[in-house]
Amino acid sequence: MEGTSQKRGKTAASKTAQYANRLNKAEKLLGYRFKDRELLLLALTHPSASEGNGTTGSYERLEFLGDAILGAIISRELYDSFPKHDEGALTRLKVSAVAGNTLSKLAEELKLEQINIFGSSERGTGKRGLQSALENVYEALVGALAIDGGMEEAERFVLHTLAPRIYISVAREPENPKSMLQELLQAHHVTPTYEIIDTDGPPHDRFFTARVLSDEDILATGTGHSKKDAEMNAATKALEILNHKPQENHNDSPKKR
């Protein structure tokens, strides 16, 4: 009688054979031959594909790893390539490079949709769901490369595909801090929200206080003579906190509402 581990091994081998064509395309795209092809299969598998068809696991854990590795590779590349840029400029360049829309567009150009493995429930989610999945599978592939081939292989792939999308113009101080904050947070799949929490002064000279939140965390507050100015100032303070050593100012660190 077969044990559980034997059955899982046969299932994984069967799935590897079933998707052999996609794995071959993925290896050609990556320019790398995997020693562990089941790891590559995992990197291509959307969570929806495990729904009732015997597939075990998805790319989620590899995406977590790849996200961190991708950030480290891009950070080092920016540090080496732009020695005259300060921390703020480097941060803006990094945020733009690893933003979700950047990765999803890159993944579209690489035709990752053709090798991604979806379940039936995901196929009807539309373009937005597909873009998120393509972004995730790119990061998962970076993680898989690092495990199977070492950091050198992951770095080679990232620098070949993503580094050319680093545009020096992004290093300029943002004209709209709300847009910059949104880019920064969307890299972590979060969208900032704003609330006007206080209004003071006579009708002809109103003074507003706004706060900006990430999920339920209060990032910063700002004031101004219009709601727009208050929100812009709150966004500016949040950027300063997130980008420039927030541990030095414990009073400004994110806190629950």
Side-chain angles (χ1 to χ4, degrees), residues 91-112:
T91 297
R92 289 188 285 277
L93 286 167
K94 178 186 175 184
V95 168
S96 176
V98 302
N101 62 333
T102 302
L103 297 183
S104 62
K105 288 178 183 176
L106 172 59
E108 283 184 30
E109 292 181 10
L110 295 175
K111 295 181 169 49
L112 293 188

Side-chain angles (χ1 to χ4, degrees), residues 19-239:
Y19 292 113
N21 185 46
R22 297 194 185 199
L23 297 180
N24 291 337
K25 286 183 178 180
E27 288 181 331
K28 184 177 181 180
L29 169 68
L30 296 169
Y32 175 77
R33 179 77 177 177
F34 271 75
K35 297 181 284 290
D36 182 359
R37 297 194 99 201
E38 291 178 12
L39 182 67
L40 176 57
L41 178 62
L42 201 62
L44 300 176
T45 302
H46 189 272
S48 64
S50 63
E51 298 168 357
N53 66 358
T55 300
T56 55
S58 69
Y59 56 53
E60 290 178 311
R61 280 170 53 83
L62 285 171
E63 176 204 347
F64 164 79
L65 176 64
D67 176 66
I69 292 172
L70 177 63
I73 292 171
I74 290 297
S75 294
R76 178 59 188 267
E77 175 68 9
L78 293 172
Y79 182 86
D80 291 341
S81 299
F82 304 103
K84 294 183 179 180
H85 283 58
D86 62 16
E87 179 188 4
L90 293 177
T91 297
R92 289 188 285 277
L93 286 167
K94 178 186 175 184
V95 168
S96 176
V98 302
N101 62 333
T102 302
L103 297 183
S104 62
K105 288 178 183 176
L106 172 59
E108 283 184 30
E109 292 181 10
L110 295 175
K111 295 181 169 49
L112 293 188
E113 180 183 0
Q114 296 179 7
I115 58 176
N116 205 178
I117 299 167
F118 293 100
S120 57
S121 65
E122 183 65 20
R123 294 192 182 102
T125 58
K127 187 173 179 63
R128 183 174 182 181
L130 176 61
Q131 288 178 333
S132 177
L134 293 180
E135 170 196 347
N136 295 341
V137 80
Y138 180 88
E139 293 174 337
L141 286 170
V142 172
L145 280 170
I147 292 174
D148 197 81
M151 286 294 293
E152 296 81 5
E153 288 296 334
E155 183 175 12
R156 176 192 57 78
F157 175 64
V158 170
L159 295 184
H160 176 68
T161 58
L162 185 58
R165 290 174 172 269
I166 297 174
Y167 302 110
I168 190 65
S169 60
V170 178
R172 295 196 303 267
E173 195 70 34
E175 296 179 4
N176 187 340
K178 289 180 68 174
S179 297
M180 186 61 195
L181 180 62
Q182 182 165 326
E183 274 195 81
L184 178 63
L185 294 179
Q186 283 185 339
H188 301 282
H189 313 290
V190 175
T191 299
T193 57
Y194 296 83
E195 295 178 349
I196 300 298
I197 58 174
D198 190 35
T199 304
D200 197 12
H204 66 278
D205 191 22
R206 286 281 190 231
F207 202 70
F208 299 91
T209 300
R211 67 183 179 187
V212 57
L213 304 97
S214 168
D215 286 335
E216 294 187 350
D217 293 331
I218 300 172
L219 297 179
T221 59
T223 57
H225 286 287
S226 71
K227 293 179 180 180
K228 180 180 178 180
D229 286 346
E231 291 178 353
M232 294 277 271
N233 288 331
T236 299
K237 288 184 180 180
L239 285 169

